[in-house]
Structure formats: C-alpha cells, structure tokens
Amino acid sequence: GVASGVTAVFTWRRRPVKGAAKALRTVARQTLARLAVTHGEVGVLVCSDDTIRQLNRTYRGMDEPTDVLAFPVGERPPDGPPYLGDIAISLETARRQAMARGADEVNELSVLLLHGLLHVLGYDHERDLGQMSSLEQKLREELGL
C-alpha cells in the first residue's frame, strides 16, 4: 500500500474462502491504479445480509439485502490521504449470485468490489449515459474478472 499511496482497509464480519482477502486487495490496488488514483483510502466491509439490509434501509430506504453498497466521502483530512469512502459487500448475497451464475466466490466478490470502487470514485450508472458500465466492463476484462 505505501508505494502506491492507495490503501484499502478491509473489515471482515464474515469469512470468505481462502485467498479472497489477497485477491480483493489486488483488485482494489489495480483498479485504483488504472483509474490514476494516486493516493487515498477506502474502507471495505464484508458482512452478512442482515447488516447490509440495515444499511440499505437506513441510507436508501430499501428494506432488503443487496450485494454491494458504496458510500463516497471524498473528504481530504488535514493530515494523510483523502478518504475516498466506504463499500459494504454482503458475503451471503455474493455467494448466492456466484452459484447462480456458475462463478467462484472470489470472482463474484472481486466484481462487486470493482463496482463499489467506481461508485466511491463518483461514477453513477443510474445517472450517467453508460460510461460507468462500459468502464466497468473494460476494467473487468483488463483485470481478468
């Protein structure tokens, strides 16, 4: 993290399969590097459906679990790197989605993390004209997801 100046801080409320943590750190680092984000910190919470449902209800008024939520911050603390925001990923929903599309858990988590990172960087597929989706597809290909 120090050389690139970008740090992804993971909080594991649920334990993914072996190797997931390393793979996700790599996805975060490579995604931010490709988007020319040179310094900053992002928080990633890997949690249960119950936790993400509470977040979804509180922040989006939707009382249901979802796969990934992103909370951009974009604050520049007086000391240290800018705090880009937080991402929450439900491990349970990710596992269901992975099974449904015949993917492995690490791949699904990586895809969700990439999606969340684009959101914390200010991309919004609900408001743009397809820019986020095409960028996301391009990055998925480049990262081998």
Side-chain angles (χ1 to χ4, degrees):
V2 178
S4 70
V6 177
T7 315
V9 178
F10 286 85
T11 303
W12 303 95
R13 294 263 184 87
R14 287 286 181 275
R15 289 273 160 215
V17 293
K18 197 165 163 51
K22 185 173 184 227
L24 291 180
R25 276 195 291 274
T26 301
V27 167
R29 194 172 57 246
Q30 291 181 345
T31 298
L32 294 166
R34 284 169 195 271
L35 295 171
V37 178
T38 52
H39 57 291
E41 188 176 295
V42 61
V44 183
L45 172 68
V46 178
C47 61
S48 65
D49 273 353
D50 284 345
T51 299
I52 212 161
R53 179 181 185 162
Q54 288 170 6
L55 291 169
N56 206 17
R57 184 173 60 226
T58 302
Y59 294 99
R60 297 178 69 223
M62 299 170 84
D63 191 10
E64 59 190 22
T66 187
D67 51 4
V68 59
L69 290 172
F71 304 95
V73 176
E75 284 181 2
R76 294 197 165 271
D79 50 347
Y83 195 75
L84 302 172
D86 293 292
I87 298 167
I89 298 172
S90 168
L91 187 59
E92 290 159 315
T93 296
R95 282 183 172 151
R96 281 196 304 275
Q97 290 178 177
M99 283 179 69
R101 68 181 184 95
D104 66 83
E105 183 178 313
V106 174
N107 178 266
E108 183 70 19
L109 289 169
S110 297
V111 167
L112 294 174
L113 176 60
L114 170 59
H115 188 82
L117 285 168
L118 290 174
H119 274 306
V120 298
L121 294 173
Y123 292 91
D124 185 352
H125 57 85
E126 290 176 11
R127 295 207 183 99
D128 71 16
L129 301 168
Q131 290 97 324
M132 176 171 166
S133 296
S134 57
L135 176 60
E136 192 168 356
Q137 194 53 48
K138 177 174 164 273
L139 288 166
R140 278 176 70 164
E141 286 165 19
E142 290 178 11
L143 297 171
L145 301 176

